[in-house]
Amino acid sequence: MYPVCVGHEIVGRAVRVGSQVKDIKVGDLVGVGAQSDSCRSRNGPCEDCESNREPYCPHLVTTYNGVYMNGGKSYGGYALYHRSPAHFVIKIPEGLPPQFAAPMLCGGITVYSPLRKYGAGPGKKVGVIGVGGLGHFAVMFARALGADEVVAISRRADKREDALKLGAHRYIATADDKGWEKENFRSLDLIISTISSAKVRAITGF
């Protein structure tokens, strides 16, 4: 669909709602993440869709550069309008500014999902490798979920103050803190890695 400027974290007001939609009405502030549809077993049984694993559906439709089952195209968040099945639309609480809600629909859910799935919460110590956009969310969510300890992990110490402000109990700078491997060996119950570095194997040797 070149040339198109796409966007995949979409927040706006609902201007039209289908007759079978129950929880959303015209005027509501709503959001859509990077996925706006899946087959939902319309062409036969789909194990992924039927087990609430729509992101793994082989026929998923993205909010940008995607093609719906009727042949219509999805042009992303910079289009004048975006249409999506209500199943993939999230109602945004009033009072939450759209610019804060939008990143949660992609980066936010990317880390929230595994944190919830693997039991981040009371009784758990959670490590977050990489204090960038995804890592910021992971630290905040792990703390909000009630983890006993949230440990932010990055190469250098320059992000320590930010990580602690976000809610981390501790911070490890792998390039600056000598002996961090021995001091923290097997000290975490769950580790979220948001980096692509080949050194991640060494970092996860807790």
Side-chain angles (χ1 to χ4, degrees), residues 183-197:
E183 292 178 8
N184 297 281
F185 184 71
R186 292 189 176 179
S187 64
L188 301 172
D189 301 300
L190 171 62
I191 298 174
I192 293 288
S193 177
T194 70
I195 65 174
S196 59
S197 171

Side-chain angles (χ1 to χ4, degrees), residues 3-204:
V4 174
C5 293
V6 300
H8 63 282
E9 300 167 342
I10 306 171
V11 175
R13 296 283 175 183
V15 296
R16 186 176 177 181
V17 178
S19 60
Q20 298 182 39
V21 178
K22 298 179 180 179
D23 300 326
I24 298 171
K25 62 181 185 299
V26 172
D28 282 346
L29 186 65
V30 296
V32 183
Q35 182 178 1
S36 57
D37 202 1
S38 66
C39 79
R40 291 181 285 140
S41 298
R42 286 171 286 182
N43 289 333
C46 175
E47 181 179 351
D48 292 315
C49 289
E50 292 173 8
S51 58
N52 295 319
R53 293 164 54 89
E54 292 91 336
Y56 296 96
C57 173
H59 305 291
L60 67 84
V61 178
T62 56
T63 52
Y64 58 93
N65 199 35
V67 179
Y68 291 100
M69 292 184 68
N70 66 359
K73 297 179 180 180
S74 58
Y75 289 93
Y78 292 105
L80 294 177
Y81 298 96
H82 177 80
R83 66 182 175 87
S84 177
H87 185 72
F88 291 90
V89 177
I90 298 170
K91 190 171 180 179
I92 306 297
E94 291 293 344
L96 178 60
Q99 67 269 29
F100 296 150
M104 294 186 193
L105 300 172
C106 185
I109 193 61
T110 297
V111 293
Y112 179 79
S113 178
L115 285 170
R116 284 300 299 256
K117 181 176 181 178
Y118 294 104
K124 295 294 181 68
K125 295 181 179 181
V126 179
V128 177
I129 303 176
V131 187
L134 291 173
H136 286 181
F137 275 125
V139 168
M140 291 190 292
F141 288 154
R143 185 63 185 264
L145 288 168
D148 287 1
E149 185 176 40
V150 180
V151 182
I153 306 166
S154 191
R155 289 186 64 251
R156 297 292 180 183
D158 56 353
K159 296 181 180 179
R160 187 186 308 273
E161 184 177 349
D162 285 342
L164 296 177
K165 287 181 179 178
L166 289 169
H169 295 91
R170 293 195 297 119
Y171 182 91
I172 297 173
T174 60
D176 297 330
D177 298 346
K178 294 183 179 180
W180 66 269
E181 304 99 322
K182 293 182 179 180
E183 292 178 8
N184 297 281
F185 184 71
R186 292 189 176 179
S187 64
L188 301 172
D189 301 300
L190 171 62
I191 298 174
I192 293 288
S193 177
T194 70
I195 65 174
S196 59
S197 171
K199 297 180 179 179
V200 69
R201 292 182 181 177
I203 295 175
T204 56

